[in-house]
Amino acid sequence: MESSQPLELTHGGPEIDLPAPDLVLAWVQFPDRILEVEACVLAHTDRAVLVEWCFGQTADCAWILRDAIRERIPSSPCASPN
């Protein structure tokens, strides 16, 4: 079923892109488990954040609730410096 709500309402408000990713620990649900992963916040709204995480050489991203993240101490940057 397709939602009739605009994407802005679905994510909890206007989307704000970050100039530099914030480093976080994020709880992410997979089909067979829930894991806390090291991730980078790429964008956010009042209620949700777009996080990106890597497993090996594969990157993935998802919108998750803000309560499912916490700040982490940087161990490695999310993106390569230019």
Side-chain angles (χ1 to χ4, degrees):
M1 180 189 312
E2 207 171 304
S3 173
S4 60
Q5 293 183 333
L7 188 58
E8 184 175 292
L9 293 177
T10 305
H11 291 149
E15 185 177 321
I16 300 169
D17 292 326
L18 300 177
D22 287 337
L23 305 177
V24 297
L25 293 171
W27 287 101
V28 179
Q29 183 172 349
F30 297 92
D32 60 341
R33 67 189 91 168
I34 298 172
L35 296 175
E36 187 176 38
V37 298
E38 292 184 345
C40 301
V41 176
L42 304 178
H44 66 88
T45 68
D46 288 340
R47 296 186 324 193
V49 291
L50 176 61
V51 294
E52 179 181 61
W53 65 94
C54 298
F55 286 121
Q57 295 183 352
T58 304
D60 206 350
C61 64
W63 281 97
I64 62 172
L65 294 174
R66 289 175 83 91
D67 290 343
I69 65 165
R70 63 186 171 106
E71 186 177 0
R72 73 175 163 110
I73 299 170
S75 58
S76 63
C78 291
S80 303
N82 293 335

